[in-house]
Amino acid sequence: MSLKVDVRKLDLFNDIAREGSQTVAENLETLAGIEATMDVSKINFLQSSDLDAHIGTDDAVGIFVELIEPPHGYVLFVMDPAASKSLAESMVGGMDADEQRGGFTDMERSALQEIGNIMTSGYVDGLANVLDTTIDISTPSFAYGPANQVVETMGGWPDEDIAFVVDSTIVSPEADVELTVYTLPRVVELVELIQAIDLETDVGTDTTASEEFVP
């Protein structure tokens, strides 16, 4: 099929991702008491060979879910390990006496996965509402290591010549937390959904998560 997309719809999709990322920031504040804002959201079309360089090789914590309905692919949250540790500790409240595995205790890993679950549910549901579809997701998984290896743990980049990557950065200066959301759909399936977007869509209204998806 043709990968041509009305640029107005592509811009609208970026607005969708931006709005969804702001929801992630709001959920982060509710869960951990950390005031956060969406800093930037942008769409990247990348050659598959450039993807590892795009995400980098610095150590990172990744929380990811698989999209198990079109447009398939993954949503990946990436954070600095120290910031992840602080965020997890704010959730477990110093009650964790578990043995650490790879710098994180089992309770801290579980706390980060729960944060990922709540943030992802609202984010993906907002995308699905505007794309006029349903997108079921897997349970969140935790990974720790060089960022490009976190992607390999996730299942790798989509097996396509060109990748469609939405980067959204969420920051909390007071807590020294920076979170990047990578949306990594399959290009052909996403294009089919974007082509069907109504240009009259009210992004602010349609990206609000449906009640049944809110934990």
Side-chain angles (χ1 to χ4, degrees):
M1 65 164 290
S2 171
L3 295 182
K4 291 182 179 179
V5 178
D6 186 328
V7 68
R8 295 172 298 171
K9 294 187 177 183
L10 202 58
D11 189 53
L12 183 61
F13 184 81
N14 196 41
D15 288 343
I16 296 166
R18 186 180 295 112
E19 193 77 18
S21 298
Q22 185 57 44
T23 299
V24 171
E26 292 167 0
N27 286 342
L28 190 61
E29 183 172 354
T30 300
L31 288 167
I34 295 173
E35 185 174 350
T37 58
M38 196 281 300
D39 185 49
V40 64
S41 178
K42 58 184 178 180
I43 293 173
N44 297 283
F45 285 95
L46 301 170
Q47 295 289 334
S48 296
S49 57
D50 295 332
L51 289 170
D52 278 359
H54 181 71
I55 198 168
T57 57
D58 291 342
D59 281 350
V61 167
I63 306 296
F64 58 88
V65 298
E66 183 177 2
L67 309 179
I68 54 182
E69 292 182 278
H72 292 101
Y74 295 90
V75 174
L76 169 65
F77 295 88
V78 174
M79 286 184 286
D80 172 79
S84 301
K85 188 82 169 176
S86 296
L87 183 59
E89 288 175 349
S90 73
M91 294 290 292
V92 300
M95 298 182 295
D96 192 359
D98 293 344
E99 181 180 353
Q100 292 191 6
R101 293 189 293 115
F104 290 84
T105 66
D106 287 343
M107 190 174 289
E108 287 169 345
R109 289 170 179 248
S110 179
L112 289 170
Q113 285 175 275
E114 180 58 24
I115 291 171
N117 182 48
I118 293 171
M119 292 192 300
T120 305
S121 295
Y123 180 79
V124 173
D125 188 37
L127 294 180
N129 285 347
V130 177
L131 294 172
D132 194 25
T133 187
T134 60
I135 305 175
D136 200 8
I137 60 175
S138 67
T139 55
S141 298
F142 175 100
Y144 175 39
N148 61 330
Q149 291 184 21
V150 167
V151 172
E152 290 305 312
T153 300
M154 179 183 74
W157 299 103
D159 186 19
E160 298 172 309
D161 292 336
I162 297 176
F164 181 102
V165 183
V166 181
D167 297 3
S168 302
T169 302
I170 296 161
V171 297
S172 174
E174 66 176 29
D176 196 25
V177 171
E178 181 172 314
L179 167 69
T180 301
V181 186
Y182 293 97
T183 309
L184 310 164
R186 293 194 174 278
V187 174
V188 172
E189 293 181 7
L190 181 67
V191 166
E192 289 179 342
L193 292 171
I194 290 178
Q195 287 173 339
I197 289 178
D198 183 348
L199 287 171
E200 300 302 316
T201 294
D202 183 335
V203 172
T205 299
D206 285 357
T207 53
T208 301
S210 302
E211 289 296 327
E212 65 264 28
F213 285 90
V214 177

